[in-house]
Amino acid sequence: MNDKLVIFDTTLRDGEQSPGAAMTKDEKIRIARQLERLGVDVIEAGFAAASPGDAEAIKSIASIIKGSTVCSLARANERDVRAAGEAIRPAASGRIHTFIATSPIHMEKKLRMTPDQVVEAAVKAVKMALEYTDDVEFSAEDAVRSEMDFLCRVFDEVIKAGAKTLNVPDTVGYSIPVLWGERMRQLIERVPSSDQVIWSTHCHNDLGMAVANSLAAVMNGARQVECTINGLGERAGNASLEEVVMAVKTRRDVFTCDSRIDTTQIVPSSRLVSQITGYPVQPNKAIVGANAFSHESGIHQDGVLKHRETYEIMRAEDVGWSHNKLTLGKLSGRNAFRTRLHELGIIMESEEALNVTFARFKELADKKREIFDEDLHALVAVEGGVDTCDRLKLVSLKVCSETGETPHAFVVLSDGGTEISADEFGGGPVDASFRAIEKRVESGATLLLYSVNNITTGTDAQGEVTVRLSRNGRIVNGQGADTDIVIASAKAYLNALNKLFGAEERAHPQV
Ligand code: KIV
Ligand code: ZN
């Protein structure tokens, strides 16, 4: 009998710390429902003390999700722990994840605390968290650069205080597999009562080794891996959930544990997170990249046709590639539309929102014969963002673009219900459209990133555009989708502006 490997997904917390990946409550709920369907054991739904909006989103997720434990992060202080405790109160199974840094550099320069004070704060936070739930996790931030003796002391004390999961983070992505595995082995060997708790690993990908390090920790006794869909996360990201899960499953000859993940939900989860955050998945990304199962070279194709296992170690359908199915068409009715949304975990907040989205679906079905699940997600992501500020809306856009002429855009917007219009020239049709919008809105935002991807295949596919804007240190991603990529671009630009105008002040847990 294999041990159970706990999969702790932090897409909604560490993943959300990626630049511009901040999500609305509605978007977080959609991802949480998909993570539950995927079979994730613990969903870290956010950092409750970041803002009232963050606390509210965690609370909503806690009241909806029944099949996974819902967790909130908390620094080791009273305000954070109480905010986390309140946020997870409605959960069928709730966890508080409290942390404090234990490395000399973090204790001295960031916390300005002595090692004794750090131990005291850790113990106090764990005890306080136990007032809300008996499922308390403790993390020693920057464990990778912490002194081993001190790390053992902190972990010993928090076990005595009642922590059930001990997480060992490589916060800065500095380790390499042989050292990370050894660190886990030594901790389990040296910390008293280490067999009474679950040891966890949380690795960042700064040197491209987050997954390898996580697996090395598992081989040395860790039984929880903290990871994110598509490896989203701070800087170079976190360990990618799909890679960890499939490595453990595919190499059963090496690992003595396994997760309860429904691997056929991996690709749908990847698509959803990418669509909502605007972070595209690189084509050669393991498991979920568009090329992960395509065999370009003739020799490989021949081999795969004769016998699949000549070049394939996993089956595309086992990770959900065949789930990309045709769902609805032009003749589909409102009920079929609502039912499919429901099956995808998308619950519209009101009949009015459903009607608006259904009308958009009909418009799309007129332009595009076949509607896939991805199209529906894009439709809802763009049209159904009920809790984003939607001050600006695109009323119409006309762009003149021809060889030898400077592109010229004419845009009509609704600004809080009042129609405004502008025209402007630009280097290309997208540039002209953005300039026309800026001429009236005067946001002063800087464009950091512009990217277009096709949602499905074919020239009638919807283009999915991401626009990343920054203003006064705040970074947001806006998304837009349309069969016309210039219109999709204008929608993405307005979506980003709405997010900039609506964003509330939020605290970062690690700064
Ligand atoms: O990377 C890290 O150390 C973290 C902690 C908050 C667990 O994300
Ligand atoms: Zn982290």
Side-chain angles (χ1 to χ4, degrees), residues 22 50-51 55-56 73 76 109 113 121 165 172 247 260 273 327 331 403 511:
S51 72
E56 193 48 43
L73 184 69
K109 308 284 180 215
M113 285 167 85
T165 302
V172 288
R260 67 171 189 110
V273 169
T327 27
L331 300 176
T403 26
V511 180

Side-chain angles (χ1 to χ4, degrees), residues 13-14 73 97 99 139 141-142 167 169 171 202 204 510:
R13 198 279 297 169
D14 220 325
L73 184 69
H97 173 195
F99 77 99
S139 282
E141 191 191 12
D142 204 20
N167 184 39
T171 305
H202 174 117
H204 280 268
Q510 290 165 277

Side-chain angles (χ1 to χ4, degrees), residues 14-34:
D14 220 325
E16 209 208 10
Q17 289 173 210
S18 315
M23 296 168 232
T24 65
K25 180 175 95 180
D26 197 41
E27 291 167 341
K28 288 185 183 177
I29 292 174
R30 281 171 53 217
I31 292 183
R33 286 188 204 275
Q34 179 57 33

Side-chain angles (χ1 to χ4, degrees), residues 174-228:
Y174 179 65
S175 201
I176 60 170
V178 69
L179 298 180
W180 198 240
E182 180 55 19
R183 180 150 282 234
M184 186 57 75
R185 195 190 64 73
Q186 278 190 28
L187 282 169
I188 295 176
E189 192 177 281
R190 289 180 50 180
V191 173
S193 307
S194 66
D195 58 338
Q196 303 300 305
V197 294
I198 292 183
W199 289 88
S200 167
T201 185
H202 174 117
C203 298
H204 280 268
N205 206 30
D206 299 63
L207 292 173
M209 280 183 277
V211 170
N213 287 338
S214 303
L215 295 175
V218 171
M219 292 182 79
N220 283 278
R223 286 297 175 265
Q224 173 175 287
V225 175
E226 302 201 351
C227 44
T228 58

